Amino acid sequence: MDNCKITVHNFNFYYGGVKVLKNISMEIPENRVTGIIGPSGCGKSTFLRSINRMNDTILGARAEGRIVIDGRNIYDDDIDVVGVRRKVGMVFQKSNPFPKSIFENVAYGLRINGEKDRYRIEEAVEKSLKDAALWDEVKDRLNKNAFELSGGQQQRLCIARALAVEPEILLMDEPASALDPTATLKIEELIQELKKKYTIVIVTHNMQQAARISDFTAFFMLGELIEYNITSIIFTKPSRKITEDYITGRFG
Amino acid sequence: MAYSRIKENTIHGLFFFNGVLVIVVLVGIFVLLITKSMPAFKEISLLHFLFSFKWNPTASFVEPSYGIWSMIVSTFMVSIGALFIALPLGVGTAAYLSDVASYRVREIFKPLVEILAGIPSVVIGFLGIVLVGPVIAKIFRLSNGLNALNGAILLAIMALPTIISLSEEALKGVPKSFEEASLALGATKWQTLTRVKIPAALSGIIAASMLGMGRAIGETMTVLMATGCALAMPKSFLDSVQTMTATIAIELGEVPYDTTHYYALFAIGLVLFIITFVINMISDIILHKYQRVIK
Amino acid sequence: MKRGQLAEAIGFIFLKLCVGAVLLALVIILYDIVSKGIGSINWEFLTTMPKNGMTEGGILPAIIGTFLVTIITAILAVPLGMGCAIYLNEYAKDNLLNRIIRMSIRNLSGVPSIVYGLFGVILFVQLMRFGTCVLSAGLTLGLMTLPWTITASEEALKNVPKSYREGALALGATKWQSIRTNVLPYAVPGMLTGTILGLSRAAGETAPILFTGVAFFLPFLPKSLFSQFMALPYHLYIMSTQHHAISKVRPLAYGTALVLIALIFVMNLFAVVLRYNLRKVKTE
């Protein structure tokens, strides 16, 4: 297996009193795309949001166990949560550009991290937009409001915004679920490009998409990790019957 | 890093104190009213204070008397009278707006209700003197129209915006499926409104009228100006009355500090505070129960 | 079926009558005040002192007094109201303490205005020894306005989508950074609008200032925050009930009522225009 970036040890998660993630343990490799599939409500989004502690913002949520990134448990009491989120970027299911200009959207993460140098910000914005394959489409209208972009462009803008703070890991929560096929294809191509530099964990509802873009695939059901392996094995020779049933479309 | 965490915690702490301040104000009002009222009860028994209807604190030849029962009765008479007028009008208007009116009519009406809500109580009281009073005097052949009826009409106008907007909200909160089920059974819109929607929204409407009544009980300027201010047990709506709020407003400015009379006025304030507090709590409880049922 | 339709027709007529009655009340109020007040309004009325036992002259000190006291109200109620709303909407968890805070706010908004007046007398006039003055009256009104500004500000904060906060946090913003840079800029227009509406209500209040600083008649303007002052609503009360020549000064009372209503209307209009303009800037 490749170099391991994220290690999850016996991780449990509760909303109120309800256990929504049950004893998850897995290793997520560096510079690879790891896909997470499973029926709705299986806990895949919750799991993803546990990796950058976004679940902290939900009232009544509680985590147990460890998620170790680069040798550091991000659930330690003395961890700097803000630092974790800088290192672990996130792209949401519904693109969520801020009501600012395209430029300011990408610059936002730099500014809150204290970057004041105009030149360096411009440079980083350009680089991030290029990395997100959006630069050519927006370079002439950087001062336009981000809401003027199409849905697919907005989502790539959100990717660019996440890239600008130079994270090491990129979490994507069904990033293409609201997009048309052409825009989806663009995002998928982009993900293949991004994995050279980033470790990517992507939640998807679409099994063909998981088969196309991820190197490893984890199948979640009812809060449990049922099976986790190289994508081709999961999709051709799954070891559990239930995985096969899901993949062949008997339920879900 | 540590610095930024300290900063975050400090900011959080400041906002927390800001939030807690609200409790401090409410408790502060209560505590200060009690401390200022207590001296009065050294000389007046609580029962006499609440249930005697003789208020004559400045009597010089006989024993001064501090009974507020007639004011309590007057206060409730005017407020309940106001509710009697405002409730059908308010709920009717709310029902029209939520179920019959077009989107445009609703959008036009909303700011009009806001304008009505924005008219100061002193202006409403003024109109009670110059407009409503003479009309009442003419209809009932009285020497003047400054009486409980006048106060009730004015307070009804003041309670209308609260009742309209909260009732409209309650009617809108009724799930669409109730309405559709009723219409699908062949009920008319009117039947659906009166037999399904209004009953379903009833607790919201009751809470709205309680809040409206709470406001009416605490209203000062309107009743001070329009009810004639006569300290006696009212026999009908055509009698002049003096509410608790009006008594405080009239007498606090003229009474010497630190006398029993002075403290007794604060005690009236305390009674007012407790009455409105209880009414608010009840409407709060009704509203919360109702929200849970709808969920 | 026929009977049902007849009942419906009658029912709808009843509803329309209700609406008509409410509208009629509003129209009568506004028409009476505007038609009878407009004649008294002129430059002199707005810019001079009352004369001859307030039977002539203007209402300048009342306008200035109301203006000053509303500023004090704003200084107390706006920051505290916004701060409390930020705490409740952004920081507070759903626990007992915060439920008590919310309950307190609802109860504060139901406390009678005259009770605020009593509270102001004890706290500001006596305990803090400010005496009866602009400051005491303004602070009293400020406390009364607080629950309104909190509710309006929280409403504005609720309208900012959750994704703005999450998006900022996911980029490594601290909580306060996400609030300051990505929530408040979009909430402030709504907060201000609601706050100004609350202040306009405070400007028309009489009961809380009765014993905390307002004066019957002053032939001069307040010199400092510790002076007594005249105010429009109280002046209207005096002119319509306490004056020795009530029928003679009725036109002046109408004029005062019109100025008061116009002031409140202008404040409301300002609030709405502000919301409209800031919203336009935001989406540009």
Side-chain angles (χ1 to χ4, degrees), chain C residues 111-160:
Chain C
V111 170
S113 53
I114 188 99
V115 172
Y116 276 105
L118 292 176
F119 181 63
V121 169
I122 313 171
L123 184 64
F124 301 122
V125 177
Q126 296 178 2
L127 285 179
M128 294 188 173
R129 295 174 188 280
F130 294 155
T132 51
C133 62
V134 176
L135 187 62
S136 296
L139 294 176
T140 307
L141 282 176
L143 288 180
M144 190 191 72
T145 316
L146 197 54
W148 307 335
T149 54
I150 294 172
T151 316
S153 301
E154 207 189 342
E155 211 52 49
L157 285 169
K158 277 193 187 134
N159 283 337
V160 177

Side-chain angles (χ1 to χ4, degrees), chain A residues 36-59:
Chain A
I36 298 177
I37 59 171
S40 326
C42 68
K44 50 190 194 299
S45 284
T46 305
F47 176 66
L48 194 74
R49 292 167 61 98
S50 301
I51 303 175
N52 67 343
R53 294 197 54 170
M54 277 311 282
N55 284 328
D56 289 16
T57 59
I58 293 164
L59 296 176

Side-chain angles (χ1 to χ4, degrees), chain C residues 36-111:
Chain C
K36 294 185 186 153
I38 197 86
S40 311
I41 308 280
N42 53 44
W43 189 244
E44 192 204 342
F45 185 67
L46 298 176
T47 56
T48 61
M49 301 286 165
K51 277 185 300 215
N52 293 341
M54 295 197 287
T55 54
E56 287 168 34
I59 53 167
L60 180 68
I63 295 177
I64 300 284
T66 289
F67 184 71
L68 282 177
V69 96
T70 307
I71 289 178
I72 302 291
T73 306
I75 290 173
L76 180 78
V78 175
L80 288 183
M82 288 184 175
C84 187
I86 292 172
Y87 172 71
L88 285 173
N89 201 57
E90 307 296 327
Y91 287 97
K93 296 187 172 68
D94 186 25
N95 59 27
L96 183 66
L97 178 72
N98 295 319
R99 280 202 287 275
I100 293 177
I101 293 180
R102 284 181 190 282
M103 193 203 76
S104 303
I105 294 168
R106 286 194 294 270
N107 271 300
L108 279 178
S109 70
V111 170

Side-chain angles (χ1 to χ4, degrees), chain A residues 49 52 54 57 59 82 85-86 88-90 92 96-100 105 108-109 112-113 145 147 161-162 165, chain C residues 92-94 162-175 177-179 181-182 185-186 282-284:
Chain A
R49 292 167 61 98
N52 67 343
M54 277 311 282
T57 59
L59 296 176
V82 168
R85 296 202 187 116
R86 269 172 214 171
V88 187
M90 185 163 206
F92 295 83
N96 61 341
F98 303 141
K100 304 175 192 289
N105 260 281
Y108 180 83
I112 57 166
N113 286 330
N145 193 298
F147 288 129
R161 192 176 68 190
V165 288
Chain C
K93 296 187 172 68
D94 186 25
K162 204 174 139 216
S163 66
Y164 293 7
R165 299 174 177 85
E166 285 200 325
L169 290 178
L171 290 170
T174 63
K175 181 128 196 159
Q177 277 178 326
S178 103
I179 296 170
T181 61
N182 228 10
Y186 313 115
K282 193 173 86 183
T283 46
E284 256 166 23

